[in-house]
Amino acid sequence: MPDLPPYDPYAEKPSFFDKNPGLVWGAAVFGLTVVLTVLMFPPYTTPEFAYAFAGPALFWAYERPRFKPYALTLFAAQAVAWTILLGWLHHVTWLGLFLLGPFMGAWTGLWYLGAWWVLPRMRGRPALLRLLAMLGLGGLWVLIEWSRTWFLGGFPWLPLAASQWQRSAVLQIAAWTGAWGVSFILIVFNLGFAAYFHRALRDGLPSLRRRPPEFLLALLILMFATILPLSDTFHRASYVRPLASVAIVQPDIPQTLKWDPASAPAILDILEKSTLAVAMSYPDVILWPEATTPLAVRGDGQMQAWAESLVRRAHTPLVLGTDAIEHANGSTGLAGAQPEEVWYNAACVIDPAAGLQPVYYAKRKLVPFGEFVPLRPLLGWLKKLVPIGDDDFSRGRAAQPLTMNLSNGVLTLGPLICYEDVFPSLARDNALAGVDALVVLTNNGWFGEGGAAYQHAAHSVLRAVETRRPVLRCGNAGWSGWIDEFGNVRTVLTNDDGSIYFRGTRAMEVTRDARWIGQQSYYVQHGDWFIGWCALLALLGLAAVSIGHPPAPPASTDET
C-alpha cells in the first residue's frame, strides 16, 4: 500500500472550484454565453452586450481547457441561445424549432473551436503574431456568417451586425463592407476585450502594461469604423429631399383565417375599409403586405376586378403582395399546347387609371417547407408535421423594380418579399437596378407577438445602410414603418399602447438624402469584396499560429 500523507486537521480544505475546476468553468461560461448572446439581439435593447458576449468563452480558451468539456459547453450554450432566439418558430412547428435552433448553434459554435485552438497557442508569442491570429479569428467569424447565406439554401438570420440595429453610428461602415464589416468589428472587440482581462487577471502585469496590443488594435478598428463615415452624416438636414407620401395598411389578418374561403368576404371588407380610410390623407402610394388577398390578384379575374375597382375609388396607386398565377386554368400557349400552371409569391402595382400593371416581381428566395419542399418525392411526408401545401411555388429569377407615375415624378421601388431582406445580395441587386427605395412586404403573422418582427426589422436596417436606400416595410401584423439610408428608424406603426401588433393604417412622409440620389454605395458597386479579405485574414492567422513553436502550457491549467 502506498504511503499516504499524514492527516492535518488544520490544513486548508480545497474549495469546490479546486476540486472541480472544469465543472465550474463550464457552468459559468455556459450561463454567461447564453444570457449575453440572447440579450444582445432584439427584441431586447442591450446591444452593448455584443462587444463582450464571447468574452467568457475566449477567457476560458486562454486557460487551455481540455477539448471535450470546452466543445460540449459551447455547443450546448449556442444551441440553447439560438433555440431561445428562434422561439417564435414554435407558432409554426415545434419540430422545426428544436431542429433549427441547435443546428444554428452548432454552426456558430464552430468558431469557438477555432478560438480554443488558436488563443492558448498565442500566449507569450510576439505581438505581431498575436494580432494576426486575432484578425484571423475575426475573419473566420465573418466567413461562418457568410456561409449561412448559401449553405443548405441559406438562413442568415441574425448576423452579429443585427444586434446594432438601433446603434447607427457603428453601422455606417456597412456602406463599404456590407454588414460583414460590422460583425468583424464586434467580434474583434470581443477578442481584444478577452485579451485585456486575461492579461490583467492572469499574467499580473503592472497597470501600464495591462493594455495588450490586441485590445489597442480592437479600439483602433472601432474608432476607424465610426470616424470614416462621419462626412456622410454631417449636415444631413440640408440634404433632405421629399421622396413620397407613403400610406401603409396593416390588416392584421390571423393566419387561421387568411386562407379560409369562408373568411374571404371579411378579409376583403377589412382591406377595403382600411384602404379607403387611409386614402383620405391623399398619399402618393399605398402599401399592402405580403399575400394580402385571399385569391390571386394576378390569375383570378374576379379578384383582379375587385382590387382595380378599390384602387380607382382610392385614387392612389397600390403596391401589394399577392399570388401570381401564370397559365391559369391551363390556358393555351402560342403553339397550341397547354403549359402547366405556375404560381409565384409576387408583388404587383395597380394604377388607378391603367389597372393591374403587366410587370410584377416574383419572390426569389422561397421558404423551405413553407413555399416549397426540397426533394419533395423523398420529404413530402413532412406535410404531416409542418403546414406545407401540395404544390410548390416557383422561384423568381431576377430583381424586377416596380415603377409608378406620381404627381411629383416617377417612383421606382425594389421589392423584397417575406424574409428576403435578410439576404444582402437581393437588396444589392435591387439597388443596382436603379430603385429609389426598397420595399419589404412581409407576413409576420405566422410567428405570434414575440421577437420575430423586431429581429426581422433589424435586417432591413442593415440593408438600408448597405445600399444607401430608404426601406419601406409593410407587415400583416408586425413591424411596419420606414428606415432612412443611414439606418435610422424614422417611423414605426404602433397603437396607443405602443404595440406594433394591431390593425391600423398610417401615412408617412418619406425623404431621401440628395447625395445618394442616383448614386451607389461602395458595397453595392463591389459586392462582398470584404469576404475575400476575411478569407485572407483567416489564412494569415493560421500562418501566425504555425510559425515557430508555442510555449509549453503550464501544468496547472491542464485539469480545466
Side-chain angles (χ1 to χ4, degrees):
M1 178 179 294
D3 293 335
L4 297 176
Y7 174 71
D8 182 358
Y10 300 102
E12 183 178 356
K13 295 182 179 180
S15 66
F16 183 82
F17 178 82
D18 293 330
K19 293 188 291 184
N20 304 279
L23 179 62
V24 174
W25 271 109
V29 170
F30 173 85
L32 288 171
T33 301
V34 170
V35 171
L36 295 177
T37 300
V38 171
L39 293 184
M40 71 182 178
F41 284 117
Y44 305 102
T45 57
T46 48
E48 289 73 23
F49 287 152
Y51 291 87
F53 77 101
L58 297 176
F59 192 100
W60 191 22
Y62 273 116
E63 295 292 292
R64 295 184 171 92
R66 288 179 292 134
F67 175 78
K68 186 175 180 180
Y70 186 88
L72 289 177
T73 298
L74 269 301
F75 277 130
Q78 291 299 304
V80 171
W82 278 94
T83 301
I84 294 172
L85 287 169
L86 300 177
W88 42 264
L89 193 59
H90 81 270
H91 292 286
V92 181
T93 166
W94 283 101
L95 175 65
L97 171 62
F98 289 117
L99 290 176
L100 184 59
F103 176 81
M104 292 286 290
W107 199 247
T108 305
L110 293 174
W111 181 82
Y112 289 94
L113 300 187
W116 171 88
W117 185 75
V118 170
L119 294 182
R121 287 170 169 78
M122 302 313 295
R123 291 183 64 180
R125 307 290 288 276
L128 178 60
L129 296 182
R130 300 204 311 272
L131 295 179
L132 286 175
M134 180 180 76
L135 295 176
L137 284 172
L140 179 62
W141 178 279
V142 173
L143 292 175
I144 290 174
E145 282 197 345
W146 171 73
S147 70
R148 292 202 282 122
T149 65
W150 52 265
F151 185 73
L152 296 180
F155 186 66
W157 193 265
L158 290 184
L160 186 52
S163 65
Q164 305 303 298
W165 75 298
Q166 294 181 317
R167 301 292 185 270
S168 62
V170 73
L171 294 180
Q172 301 313 306
I173 194 66
W176 283 266
T177 63
W180 317 119
V182 182
S183 293
F184 179 83
I185 293 167
L186 294 172
I187 200 63
V188 164
F189 203 90
N190 275 265
L191 288 158
F193 204 55
Y196 180 97
F197 276 95
H198 193 269
R199 180 72 63 89
L201 299 177
R202 287 304 205 193
D203 293 344
L205 297 180
S207 60
L208 292 178
R209 297 181 59 196
R210 287 181 179 175
R211 290 172 289 183
E214 294 94 329
F215 183 69
L216 295 178
L217 179 60
L219 280 176
L220 182 64
I221 291 174
L222 178 61
M223 291 173 59
F224 174 79
T226 52
I227 292 174
L228 177 65
L230 282 181
S231 60
D232 281 349
T233 56
F234 278 150
H235 307 298
R236 286 170 50 190
S238 62
Y239 294 101
V240 172
R241 303 290 184 272
L243 177 65
S245 175
V246 179
I248 290 178
V249 173
Q250 184 171 283
D252 192 19
I253 306 298
Q255 293 307 124
T256 54
L257 304 178
K258 198 169 184 66
W259 309 115
D260 179 10
S263 301
I267 293 172
L268 296 181
D269 184 62
I270 291 170
L271 294 172
E272 179 178 11
K273 290 179 178 177
S274 299
T275 301
L276 294 178
V278 80
M280 297 298 292
S281 61
Y282 301 105
D284 296 313
V285 61
I286 298 174
L287 304 181
W288 285 0
E290 173 192 11
T292 315
T293 55
L295 299 173
V297 169
R298 177 173 295 277
D300 185 288
Q302 290 185 334
M303 191 76 263
Q304 178 179 337
W306 176 88
E308 289 177 333
S309 173
L310 176 59
V311 171
R312 283 195 297 271
R313 285 184 286 156
H315 305 290
T316 309
L318 173 68
V319 178
L320 73 154
T322 182
D323 293 342
I325 309 174
E326 295 291 347
H327 316 302
N329 302 317
S331 57
T332 303
L334 295 177
Q338 290 189 344
E340 185 176 353
E341 188 173 272
V342 180
W343 286 64
Y344 296 101
N345 189 348
C348 307
V349 174
I350 301 178
D351 183 81
L356 182 65
Q357 299 298 291
V359 174
Y360 66 93
Y361 170 76
K363 187 181 179 187
R364 289 170 280 170
K365 276 287 185 180
L366 302 180
V367 179
F369 305 106
E371 294 171 314
F372 80 104
V373 179
L375 303 173
R376 181 178 279 272
L378 296 177
L379 302 178
W381 58 271
L382 285 173
K383 65 184 299 181
K384 299 177 181 178
L385 304 174
V386 295
I388 58 178
D390 294 324
D391 298 304
D392 294 339
F393 279 88
S394 294
R395 189 186 309 273
R397 297 300 176 185
Q400 179 56 67
L402 300 179
T403 301
M404 57 211 75
N405 294 313
L406 307 182
S407 58
N408 58 349
V410 176
L411 176 65
T412 303
L413 300 178
L416 296 167
I417 297 176
C418 187
Y419 78 143
E420 286 190 313
D421 57 331
V422 309
F423 293 90
S425 62
L426 301 185
R428 177 174 173 260
D429 289 343
N430 281 351
L432 287 170
V435 302
D436 299 309
L438 304 176
V439 57
V440 179
L441 309 179
T442 187
N443 175 22
N444 285 335
W446 287 103
F447 306 121
E449 298 183 3
Y454 292 98
Q455 292 175 7
H456 191 183
H459 298 83
S460 286
V461 170
L462 300 180
R463 305 294 85 84
V465 179
E466 287 172 343
T467 61
R468 291 300 194 211
R469 295 292 184 272
V471 176
L472 317 175
R473 299 187 92 256
C474 182
N476 170 46
W479 204 100
S480 299
W482 80 279
I483 304 153
D484 70 19
E485 337 32 14
F486 300 96
N488 298 296
V489 174
R490 302 295 295 273
T491 300
V492 184
L493 269 69
T494 57
N495 61 14
D496 294 339
D497 297 325
S499 174
I500 62 173
Y501 303 105
F502 73 108
R503 178 176 300 155
T505 63
R506 183 164 180 177
M508 314 173 299
E509 296 300 324
V510 180
T511 61
R512 282 294 314 270
D513 188 296
R515 293 169 293 181
W516 289 102
I517 296 176
Q519 302 297 316
Q520 303 289 12
S521 69
Y522 190 88
Y523 174 72
V524 169
Q525 294 178 61
H526 301 282
D528 289 328
W529 63 273
F530 189 68
I531 298 298
W533 281 99
C534 286
L536 177 61
L537 288 175
L539 292 175
L540 290 175
L542 178 62
V545 177
S546 304
I547 292 174
H549 299 284
S556 61
T557 61
D558 289 342
E559 294 180 357
T560 61

